[in-house]
Amino acid sequence: MNRAPTPLVSLPDPAAARRWCADWRARGRTLGFVPTMGALHDGHLSLVERALDENDAACVSVFVNPLQFNEQRDFERYPRDLGADAQLLEGAGCTMLFTGTLAGFFPGELDARGELLPAAWREPGPSATGLEGDLRPGHFRGVATIVERLFDVVRPDRAYFGHKDFQQTLVVKDLARALGYPAIVVCPTAREASGLARSSRNELLLPADRERAAVLSRALFAARDAWCAGERRPARLSAAMRTVLADGPATLEYAEIRDPERWTRDEPVGPIERAVALVAARLGGVRLIDNLRLDEPA
Ligand code: AMP
């Protein structure tokens, strides 16, 4: 949908955002919230669009959350461009953007070294085990901790997350269930023409690797072809993915199947009725993840 450009309210700290959101809600208006780490692309903007469709305003946070990075180098080289992000958000008709620092989000909750005090952490629920949770120790604890605080700042009616980070959507749903709010809306994965899932980290790929990275989505589509041909055994479905990825340019971390509605640490053994295929691989030093529901229409 084309929206008339509206002036974007841009707020530099969580305290100002908290006041703005409280005022908005006090006027009886609804608020849709899209948490991001910036370096925005069409995937993020599709979440903003959905938030605008379903609420009276869309609010976006841009914060590269140090708590969720298990590798310091990944945190340091994560792409950042707040000026470009603000322009994209204004063009998309977004209502409010806010940023912040760790100290701004957790005032009085950091120790002398600038680290979060133990009481401020939020432990993630059971969906945090397996796959990303095992390969990135502490990652979902960092996600749950910042998302709880972001929700507390914004107090949104609805919060929008991408299917692209499938296990994260489960962790966030666990959290929202524990908190009693907000409604979690999961939006489809936006892809480049090659099939590669859009990601801020794609910016870190060399042009040739960006082309080659489409092998991840090709592997997922191969699993879906097998599903459509009647295959229901997880081991066979993940083997179809690994065949595509074998000898390819990417270093595979996992290519596995889960029941999307009954998360398990390990791949289920027997035939399943619902399936999501998940893959993680490294290419040129960049870690990429993607996934695809196999039991839903393309
Ligand atoms: P990030 O900035 O990577 O933390 O992502 C912020 C939100 O955008 C998360 O809910 C992501 O799942 C979502 N997102 C990231 N990439 C995509 C994509 N390609 N399509 C849809 N949503 C996405």
Side-chain angles (χ1 to χ4, degrees):
M1 193 192 302
N2 279 332
R3 295 177 196 279
T6 50
L8 174 72
V9 176
S10 195
L11 301 173
D13 74 274
R18 188 185 289 279
R19 287 192 296 274
W20 188 94
C21 292
D23 181 56
W24 186 265
R25 283 183 279 102
R27 287 188 261 159
R29 298 181 184 171
T30 59
L31 198 45
F33 176 43
V34 181
T36 82
M37 297 207 298
L40 301 182
H41 50 67
D42 283 353
H44 297 113
L45 297 183
S46 70
L47 272 55
V48 174
E49 177 114 336
R50 179 91 175 260
L52 283 166
D53 282 345
E54 298 179 354
N55 303 275
D56 298 321
C59 157
V60 171
S61 60
V62 170
F63 178 56
V64 184
N65 169 33
L67 307 176
Q68 72 186 68
F69 283 82
N70 56 314
E71 289 174 17
Q72 182 63 17
R73 182 171 143 71
D74 188 26
F75 174 66
E76 280 161 12
R77 70 175 190 160
Y78 197 85
R80 293 162 169 90
D81 191 344
L82 189 58
D85 290 345
Q87 268 190 358
L88 285 171
L89 291 173
E90 178 142 313
C94 179
T95 324
M96 192 269 270
L97 156 71
F98 73 100
T99 55
T101 59
L102 199 59
F105 279 110
F106 297 96
E109 294 168 276
L110 304 186
D111 66 18
R113 289 178 307 158
E115 291 186 3
L116 201 59
L117 294 172
W121 289 94
R122 151 73 66 163
E123 291 304 326
S127 319
T129 57
L131 300 189
E132 292 300 293
D134 287 356
L135 283 155
R136 303 186 65 189
H139 168 64
F140 286 127
R141 190 173 178 239
V143 169
T145 301
I146 192 66
V147 171
E148 178 179 21
R149 184 53 52 98
L150 288 165
F151 285 174
D152 186 59
V153 168
V154 177
R155 298 238 144 215
D157 297 277
R158 299 175 191 84
Y160 295 80
F161 290 84
H163 199 279
K164 152 88 169 38
D165 298 284
F166 181 75
Q167 197 175 354
Q168 173 173 277
T169 66
L170 302 181
V171 169
V172 168
K173 283 179 182 173
D174 285 345
L175 174 68
R177 207 172 297 120
L179 297 174
Y181 85 108
I184 303 299
V185 182
V186 178
C187 303
T189 301
R191 298 183 179 281
E192 299 185 1
S194 67
L196 175 64
R198 292 191 188 277
S199 165
S200 304
R201 286 190 178 84
N202 292 354
E203 300 305 317
L204 301 172
L205 292 167
L206 297 170
D209 282 338
R210 197 160 176 148
E211 285 303 309
R212 293 190 194 121
V215 70
L216 270 76
S217 55
R218 281 205 304 278
L220 296 172
F221 296 137
R224 185 153 68 192
D225 289 346
W227 178 274
C228 291
E231 184 59 74
R232 295 290 180 273
R233 291 165 294 181
R236 293 297 176 95
L237 293 162
S238 48
M241 290 197 275
R242 283 194 300 275
T243 302
V244 175
L245 288 155
D247 306 323
T251 308
L252 183 63
E253 290 197 352
Y254 60 78
E256 294 194 17
I257 303 294
R258 292 288 181 281
D259 180 336
E261 284 160 36
R262 259 193 80 248
W263 188 259
T264 47
R265 170 170 231 144
D266 299 316
E267 190 169 72
V269 177
I272 50 176
E273 288 311 310
R274 301 168 298 248
V276 58
L278 304 110
V279 62
R282 285 182 193 260
L283 208 88
V286 181
R287 187 170 187 277
L288 300 171
I289 61 169
D290 198 357
N291 71 84
L292 192 69
R293 272 300 281 257
L294 304 184
D295 55 330
E296 288 179 352

